[in-house]
Every structure is written in C-alpha cells, then in structure tokens.
Amino acid sequence: DLPPLYDSPRDRTLIQLMLLELAAMPVREFDIPFPQHPALLALCQAFLLNPSIHDPAARWARALFMSQSTFRRHFLKQLGLSFSAWRQRACVVSALAWLIAGKPVNEVALSLGYDNASSFATMFRRVTGQRHRFITQPDASGKGTPAACVGNECRFYVVAMR
C-alpha cells in the first residue's frame, strides 16, 4: 500500500499503475565495472578521461605486455565483460553525461570517434534502446526527466516508450 502522500484515490491508482509498469520494464545496465589489476585499472581510468570507440585492444595488450588473446581473456576475467562491450558501455555512459550537460550530438559523436552523428545515433539506440533525444537535463524539480544529476553524480533512467 502507498503512504498517504497521494490525496485522491485516482492519484494513488495512477502511481500504483506506474510502479507496476516500471517493475515490468527491462533493465539496462549502465554501470562501468573496474578491474582489481592495478595496471589495467589505470588504463580503464585513462580511457574514461578520453573515451574513443576505436581504441584498439592491441594498444592495451601492448601496454600490459600481453598478447591480444591473453589480454582479452584477462580483461573478461577481471571485468566480466569483453573489452569491446566494456569500451562501448564506457562510451555510452560518457555520451549520456555529455548529452545531459547539453553538448550537441554531433560533437559527442565526433568526440567518441564516430564519423558522424548518424553512426553514433545507431549505436546509442542499439545499446540503450532509445534515441538520444530522450536523454535530457533534469528540470528545476528534478522530476519527470530521464536523468537526474546531483553534483558530479548522474543517475540515468532510460525509459522505454511504447
């Protein structure tokens, strides 16, 4: 039962319906896992400062003095994601933060290494299930928007539109 924050039976019913709909929605993971291995952790942190969708695994492998196949196995073991999946997720999370801050889509796309906004938009929609237009800055109340930011921390709510 809902607390008596909602005065009318209509409001309570609407809120209960929204909660049921939200519970039934698929969850999308946007957290970025980090490794325990110090040298790999340093590479991951450096990547987040300057993300690029085209950053090759070969460069990371060389930096860690590993073969590419050993690096890929090590990366998967440390993070639970393949290198390419982690790199793409890190780029999406960076893009979300930039879009919320008001950075133009074309600038976000080019910053991440995409040739144009269209190729970025295709990847963004494939990963998030939404067009980049649904990611906006929170209003003054912080309600009713897909993202809410407090200080340097942003929580992203990607809502499936039916």
Side-chain angles (χ1 to χ4, degrees), residues 74-112:
H74 180 67
F75 196 94
L76 182 60
K77 183 179 177 186
Q78 284 281 310
L79 289 102
L81 287 174
S82 69
F83 173 73
S84 59
W86 184 89
R87 180 184 60 196
Q88 186 175 59
R89 186 181 292 183
C91 285
V92 167
V93 170
S94 295
L96 285 167
W98 292 336
L99 291 168
I100 287 168
K103 196 172 188 179
V105 174
N106 197 49
E107 194 175 325
V108 170
L110 295 176
S111 295
L112 292 173

Short mmCIF file of all heavy atoms in Angstrom, two decimals, residues 74-112:
data_model
loop_
_atom_site.label_atom_id
_atom_site.label_comp_id
_atom_site.label_asym_id
_atom_site.label_seq_id
_atom_site.Cartn_x
_atom_site.Cartn_y
_atom_site.Cartn_z
N HIS A 74 42.17 -11.99 -19.94
CA HIS A 74 42.41 -11.29 -18.67
C HIS A 74 41.35 -10.23 -18.42
O HIS A 74 40.82 -10.11 -17.31
CB HIS A 74 43.82 -10.67 -18.69
CG HIS A 74 44.19 -9.93 -17.46
ND1 HIS A 74 44.39 -10.55 -16.25
CD2 HIS A 74 44.42 -8.61 -17.25
CE1 HIS A 74 44.70 -9.65 -15.34
NE2 HIS A 74 44.73 -8.47 -15.93
N PHE A 75 41.03 -9.47 -19.46
CA PHE A 75 40.03 -8.41 -19.34
C PHE A 75 38.68 -9.00 -18.95
O PHE A 75 38.02 -8.53 -18.03
CB PHE A 75 39.92 -7.64 -20.66
CG PHE A 75 39.22 -6.32 -20.53
CD1 PHE A 75 39.95 -5.16 -20.34
CD2 PHE A 75 37.84 -6.23 -20.59
CE1 PHE A 75 39.31 -3.93 -20.21
CE2 PHE A 75 37.19 -5.01 -20.46
CZ PHE A 75 37.93 -3.86 -20.27
N LEU A 76 38.26 -10.05 -19.64
CA LEU A 76 36.98 -10.70 -19.36
C LEU A 76 36.94 -11.24 -17.94
O LEU A 76 35.94 -11.07 -17.23
CB LEU A 76 36.74 -11.82 -20.37
CG LEU A 76 35.42 -12.57 -20.26
CD1 LEU A 76 34.23 -11.63 -20.44
CD2 LEU A 76 35.37 -13.69 -21.30
N LYS A 77 38.04 -11.84 -17.50
CA LYS A 77 38.10 -12.38 -16.14
C LYS A 77 38.03 -11.26 -15.10
O LYS A 77 37.34 -11.38 -14.08
CB LYS A 77 39.39 -13.18 -15.96
CG LYS A 77 39.50 -13.85 -14.61
CD LYS A 77 40.79 -14.64 -14.50
CE LYS A 77 40.92 -15.25 -13.12
NZ LYS A 77 42.21 -15.91 -12.96
N GLN A 78 38.71 -10.16 -15.33
CA GLN A 78 38.76 -9.05 -14.38
C GLN A 78 37.45 -8.26 -14.31
O GLN A 78 37.05 -7.81 -13.25
CB GLN A 78 39.89 -8.09 -14.74
CG GLN A 78 41.26 -8.58 -14.39
CD GLN A 78 41.56 -8.39 -12.92
OE1 GLN A 78 41.39 -7.32 -12.36
NE2 GLN A 78 42.02 -9.46 -12.28
N LEU A 79 36.79 -8.07 -15.46
CA LEU A 79 35.64 -7.18 -15.51
C LEU A 79 34.30 -7.85 -15.77
O LEU A 79 33.25 -7.23 -15.62
CB LEU A 79 35.87 -6.08 -16.55
CG LEU A 79 36.91 -5.08 -16.10
CD1 LEU A 79 38.24 -5.33 -16.77
CD2 LEU A 79 36.44 -3.70 -16.34
N GLY A 80 34.33 -9.09 -16.23
CA GLY A 80 33.07 -9.78 -16.50
C GLY A 80 32.42 -9.35 -17.81
O GLY A 80 31.28 -9.71 -18.09
N LEU A 81 33.12 -8.54 -18.58
CA LEU A 81 32.68 -8.08 -19.89
C LEU A 81 33.83 -8.21 -20.86
O LEU A 81 34.99 -8.09 -20.46
CB LEU A 81 32.30 -6.59 -19.86
CG LEU A 81 31.03 -6.14 -19.18
CD1 LEU A 81 30.98 -4.62 -19.15
CD2 LEU A 81 29.82 -6.68 -19.90
N SER A 82 33.50 -8.41 -22.14
CA SER A 82 34.57 -8.39 -23.14
C SER A 82 35.09 -6.96 -23.25
O SER A 82 34.41 -6.00 -22.86
CB SER A 82 34.03 -8.85 -24.50
OG SER A 82 33.14 -7.89 -25.02
N PHE A 83 36.28 -6.82 -23.81
CA PHE A 83 36.85 -5.50 -23.99
C PHE A 83 35.95 -4.61 -24.84
O PHE A 83 35.67 -3.47 -24.47
CB PHE A 83 38.25 -5.59 -24.63
CG PHE A 83 38.83 -4.25 -24.98
CD1 PHE A 83 39.30 -3.41 -23.99
CD2 PHE A 83 38.87 -3.82 -26.29
CE1 PHE A 83 39.82 -2.16 -24.29
CE2 PHE A 83 39.39 -2.58 -26.61
CZ PHE A 83 39.87 -1.75 -25.61
N SER A 84 35.45 -5.14 -25.94
CA SER A 84 34.63 -4.30 -26.84
C SER A 84 33.31 -3.91 -26.17
O SER A 84 32.85 -2.78 -26.33
CB SER A 84 34.38 -5.00 -28.17
OG SER A 84 33.73 -6.22 -27.98
N ALA A 85 32.70 -4.82 -25.39
CA ALA A 85 31.46 -4.49 -24.69
C ALA A 85 31.72 -3.42 -23.62
O ALA A 85 30.93 -2.48 -23.46
CB ALA A 85 30.85 -5.74 -24.06
N TRP A 86 32.84 -3.54 -22.89
CA TRP A 86 33.17 -2.55 -21.86
C TRP A 86 33.44 -1.20 -22.50
O TRP A 86 32.96 -0.17 -22.03
CB TRP A 86 34.39 -3.01 -21.06
CG TRP A 86 34.72 -2.08 -19.93
CD1 TRP A 86 34.24 -2.13 -18.66
CD2 TRP A 86 35.59 -0.93 -19.98
NE1 TRP A 86 34.76 -1.09 -17.92
CE2 TRP A 86 35.59 -0.34 -18.71
CE3 TRP A 86 36.36 -0.36 -20.99
CZ2 TRP A 86 36.32 0.80 -18.41
CZ3 TRP A 86 37.10 0.77 -20.69
CH2 TRP A 86 37.08 1.35 -19.42
N ARG A 87 34.22 -1.20 -23.58
CA ARG A 87 34.56 0.05 -24.27
C ARG A 87 33.29 0.74 -24.77
O ARG A 87 33.13 1.94 -24.60
CB ARG A 87 35.50 -0.26 -25.43
CG ARG A 87 35.94 0.95 -26.23
CD ARG A 87 36.78 0.55 -27.42
NE ARG A 87 36.01 -0.32 -28.30
CZ ARG A 87 36.54 -1.08 -29.25
NH1 ARG A 87 37.85 -1.11 -29.44
NH2 ARG A 87 35.77 -1.83 -30.00
N GLN A 88 32.38 -0.03 -25.35
CA GLN A 88 31.13 0.56 -25.84
C GLN A 88 30.29 1.11 -24.70
O GLN A 88 29.76 2.21 -24.78
CB GLN A 88 30.34 -0.49 -26.63
CG GLN A 88 29.12 0.09 -27.30
CD GLN A 88 28.43 -0.93 -28.16
OE1 GLN A 88 28.01 -1.97 -27.66
NE2 GLN A 88 28.32 -0.64 -29.44
N ARG A 89 30.18 0.36 -23.60
CA ARG A 89 29.40 0.83 -22.45
C ARG A 89 30.02 2.10 -21.88
O ARG A 89 29.31 3.04 -21.53
CB ARG A 89 29.33 -0.25 -21.38
CG ARG A 89 28.40 0.14 -20.24
CD ARG A 89 28.33 -0.89 -19.17
NE ARG A 89 27.67 -2.10 -19.62
CZ ARG A 89 27.44 -3.14 -18.82
NH1 ARG A 89 27.80 -3.10 -17.55
NH2 ARG A 89 26.84 -4.21 -19.28
N ALA A 90 31.34 2.14 -21.77
CA ALA A 90 32.01 3.33 -21.25
C ALA A 90 31.75 4.53 -22.16
O ALA A 90 31.53 5.65 -21.67
CB ALA A 90 33.51 3.08 -21.12
N CYS A 91 31.74 4.31 -23.46
CA CYS A 91 31.44 5.40 -24.40
C CYS A 91 30.00 5.87 -24.26
O CYS A 91 29.71 7.07 -24.30
CB CYS A 91 31.73 4.96 -25.84
SG CYS A 91 33.49 4.90 -26.23
N VAL A 92 29.07 4.94 -24.06
CA VAL A 92 27.66 5.31 -23.89
C VAL A 92 27.47 6.12 -22.62
O VAL A 92 26.77 7.14 -22.62
CB VAL A 92 26.75 4.06 -23.90
CG1 VAL A 92 25.35 4.40 -23.41
CG2 VAL A 92 26.68 3.47 -25.29
N VAL A 93 28.09 5.70 -21.53
CA VAL A 93 27.95 6.43 -20.27
C VAL A 93 28.56 7.83 -20.40
O VAL A 93 27.97 8.82 -19.94
CB VAL A 93 28.56 5.64 -19.10
CG1 VAL A 93 28.65 6.49 -17.84
CG2 VAL A 93 27.74 4.40 -18.83
N SER A 94 29.69 7.93 -21.07
CA SER A 94 30.28 9.25 -21.32
C SER A 94 29.35 10.10 -22.17
O SER A 94 29.14 11.28 -21.90
CB SER A 94 31.64 9.11 -22.01
OG SER A 94 32.56 8.47 -21.17
N ALA A 95 28.78 9.49 -23.21
CA ALA A 95 27.86 10.21 -24.09
C ALA A 95 26.64 10.69 -23.31
O ALA A 95 26.19 11.83 -23.50
CB ALA A 95 27.43 9.31 -25.25
N LEU A 96 26.11 9.85 -22.43
CA LEU A 96 24.96 10.25 -21.62
C LEU A 96 25.28 11.50 -20.80
O LEU A 96 24.51 12.45 -20.76
CB LEU A 96 24.53 9.11 -20.70
CG LEU A 96 23.79 7.95 -21.35
CD1 LEU A 96 23.72 6.76 -20.40
CD2 LEU A 96 22.41 8.36 -21.79
N ALA A 97 26.44 11.48 -20.16
CA ALA A 97 26.83 12.63 -19.33
C ALA A 97 26.98 13.89 -20.20
O ALA A 97 26.54 14.97 -19.81
CB ALA A 97 28.13 12.32 -18.61
N TRP A 98 27.59 13.76 -21.37
CA TRP A 98 27.77 14.92 -22.25
C TRP A 98 26.45 15.43 -22.79
O TRP A 98 26.23 16.65 -22.88
CB TRP A 98 28.71 14.58 -23.40
CG TRP A 98 30.13 14.33 -22.97
CD1 TRP A 98 30.74 14.79 -21.84
CD2 TRP A 98 31.11 13.57 -23.67
NE1 TRP A 98 32.04 14.36 -21.80
CE2 TRP A 98 32.29 13.61 -22.91
CE3 TRP A 98 31.10 12.86 -24.86
CZ2 TRP A 98 33.46 12.97 -23.30
CZ3 TRP A 98 32.27 12.22 -25.25
CH2 TRP A 98 33.43 12.28 -24.49
N LEU A 99 25.55 14.52 -23.16
CA LEU A 99 24.24 14.94 -23.68
C LEU A 99 23.43 15.65 -22.60
O LEU A 99 22.77 16.65 -22.87
CB LEU A 99 23.47 13.73 -24.23
CG LEU A 99 24.04 13.12 -25.51
CD1 LEU A 99 23.39 11.78 -25.79
CD2 LEU A 99 23.88 14.07 -26.69
N ILE A 100 23.49 15.14 -21.38
CA ILE A 100 22.78 15.78 -20.28
C ILE A 100 23.34 17.18 -20.03
O ILE A 100 22.61 18.11 -19.73
CB ILE A 100 22.87 14.93 -19.00
CG1 ILE A 100 21.97 13.72 -19.16
CG2 ILE A 100 22.48 15.72 -17.76
CD1 ILE A 100 22.18 12.67 -18.10
N ALA A 101 24.64 17.32 -20.19
CA ALA A 101 25.27 18.63 -19.98
C ALA A 101 24.97 19.59 -21.12
O ALA A 101 25.34 20.76 -21.06
CB ALA A 101 26.78 18.46 -19.83
N GLY A 102 24.29 19.11 -22.17
CA GLY A 102 23.90 20.00 -23.26
C GLY A 102 24.84 20.00 -24.45
O GLY A 102 24.70 20.82 -25.36
N LYS A 103 25.82 19.11 -24.48
CA LYS A 103 26.74 19.03 -25.60
C LYS A 103 25.98 18.56 -26.84
O LYS A 103 25.20 17.61 -26.77
CB LYS A 103 27.87 18.06 -25.26
CG LYS A 103 29.08 18.14 -26.13
CD LYS A 103 30.21 17.26 -25.55
CE LYS A 103 31.50 17.47 -26.31
NZ LYS A 103 32.59 16.67 -25.74
N PRO A 104 26.17 19.20 -27.99
CA PRO A 104 25.46 18.79 -29.21
C PRO A 104 25.81 17.36 -29.62
O PRO A 104 26.94 16.90 -29.43
CB PRO A 104 25.96 19.78 -30.27
CG PRO A 104 26.50 20.93 -29.50
CD PRO A 104 26.99 20.39 -28.20
N VAL A 105 24.83 16.66 -30.17
CA VAL A 105 25.00 15.26 -30.54
C VAL A 105 26.17 15.07 -31.50
O VAL A 105 26.97 14.13 -31.35
CB VAL A 105 23.70 14.71 -31.17
CG1 VAL A 105 23.91 13.30 -31.69
CG2 VAL A 105 22.59 14.73 -30.15
N ASN A 106 26.30 15.93 -32.49
CA ASN A 106 27.39 15.80 -33.45
C ASN A 106 28.75 15.91 -32.74
O ASN A 106 29.68 15.16 -33.04
CB ASN A 106 27.27 16.84 -34.56
CG ASN A 106 28.11 16.48 -35.75
OD1 ASN A 106 28.06 15.36 -36.24
ND2 ASN A 106 28.92 17.43 -36.21
N GLU A 107 28.85 16.82 -31.79
CA GLU A 107 30.09 16.99 -31.05
C GLU A 107 30.39 15.76 -30.19
O GLU A 107 31.54 15.31 -30.10
CB GLU A 107 29.99 18.24 -30.16
CG GLU A 107 31.30 18.70 -29.59
CD GLU A 107 31.14 20.01 -28.82
OE1 GLU A 107 30.33 20.86 -29.21
OE2 GLU A 107 31.86 20.15 -27.81
N VAL A 108 29.35 15.18 -29.58
CA VAL A 108 29.52 13.95 -28.79
C VAL A 108 30.02 12.84 -29.70
O VAL A 108 30.96 12.12 -29.37
CB VAL A 108 28.19 13.56 -28.10
CG1 VAL A 108 28.28 12.16 -27.49
CG2 VAL A 108 27.81 14.58 -27.04
N ALA A 109 29.37 12.70 -30.85
CA ALA A 109 29.74 11.64 -31.80
C ALA A 109 31.20 11.77 -32.22
O ALA A 109 31.96 10.78 -32.19
CB ALA A 109 28.84 11.69 -33.02
N LEU A 110 31.60 12.95 -32.60
CA LEU A 110 32.99 13.16 -33.05
C LEU A 110 33.97 12.97 -31.91
O LEU A 110 35.06 12.42 -32.10
CB LEU A 110 33.13 14.54 -33.68
CG LEU A 110 32.33 14.77 -34.97
CD1 LEU A 110 32.46 16.21 -35.44
CD2 LEU A 110 32.73 13.79 -36.06
N SER A 111 33.60 13.40 -30.70
CA SER A 111 34.48 13.23 -29.53
C SER A 111 34.75 11.77 -29.23
O SER A 111 35.83 11.41 -28.76
CB SER A 111 33.85 13.87 -28.29
OG SER A 111 33.74 15.26 -28.44
N LEU A 112 33.77 10.91 -29.52
CA LEU A 112 33.92 9.48 -29.25
C LEU A 112 34.58 8.73 -30.41
O LEU A 112 34.84 7.53 -30.30
CB LEU A 112 32.57 8.85 -28.95
CG LEU A 112 31.93 9.29 -27.63
CD1 LEU A 112 30.53 8.73 -27.51
CD2 LEU A 112 32.78 8.86 -26.44
#
